[in-house]
Amino acid sequence: MTTQTAPAARKFQPIFTATVTPGSVSTRNGKNGKYVVSQKSQFTTAKNDQPREITLMAFGKGFEAIQGKLRKGRAIDLAVQFDGGSLKVIGLPREEAPAAAEG
């Protein structure tokens, strides 16, 4: 009798807004279409946060949302999530919802 092991479940990673300053930016062709890789990018999640270095990647809809917007050394706010040791672009951040009008 053989036992099968279930594939390891991926740990939930929340989506958050980060200010990213791309390092090198390259567009590549993969089996599922084009994608962007930006190595040695710096990111912060709050104004007081110290910049941290990471690889930024964008695929599919995330790639479409930022296509042409990433420039080496130019900071941009992005909706991202951790994916292993890199940051995966989800898209551009959503606008903050306006405060409810008081009645």
Side-chain angles (χ1 to χ4, degrees):
M1 177 177 206
T2 61
T3 58
Q4 295 181 351
T5 56
R10 292 188 69 130
K11 184 178 175 188
F12 170 76
Q13 293 294 334
I15 296 171
F16 60 95
T17 299
T19 301
V20 179
T21 304
S24 62
V25 178
S26 63
T27 302
R28 301 179 182 172
N29 289 312
K31 64 180 181 179
N32 294 323
K34 289 186 176 185
Y35 65 99
V36 168
V37 176
S38 178
Q39 295 179 333
K40 297 187 178 182
S41 293
Q42 300 285 323
F43 82 100
T44 58
T45 56
K47 298 213 185 276
N48 298 332
D49 193 15
Q50 290 295 320
R52 293 178 274 175
E53 189 173 287
I54 200 161
T55 298
L56 180 75
M57 302 185 83
F59 309 89
K61 290 181 182 179
F63 171 76
E64 292 171 13
I66 65 162
Q67 188 173 10
K69 292 182 167 70
L70 288 184
R71 299 278 186 263
K72 182 177 181 177
R74 189 177 300 168
I76 184 172
D77 288 338
L78 298 171
V80 295
Q81 71 183 158
F82 286 108
D83 186 5
S86 64
L87 270 183
K88 177 181 168 187
V89 175
I90 303 304
L92 297 172
R94 292 181 180 171
E95 295 294 322
E96 293 291 323
E102 292 183 30

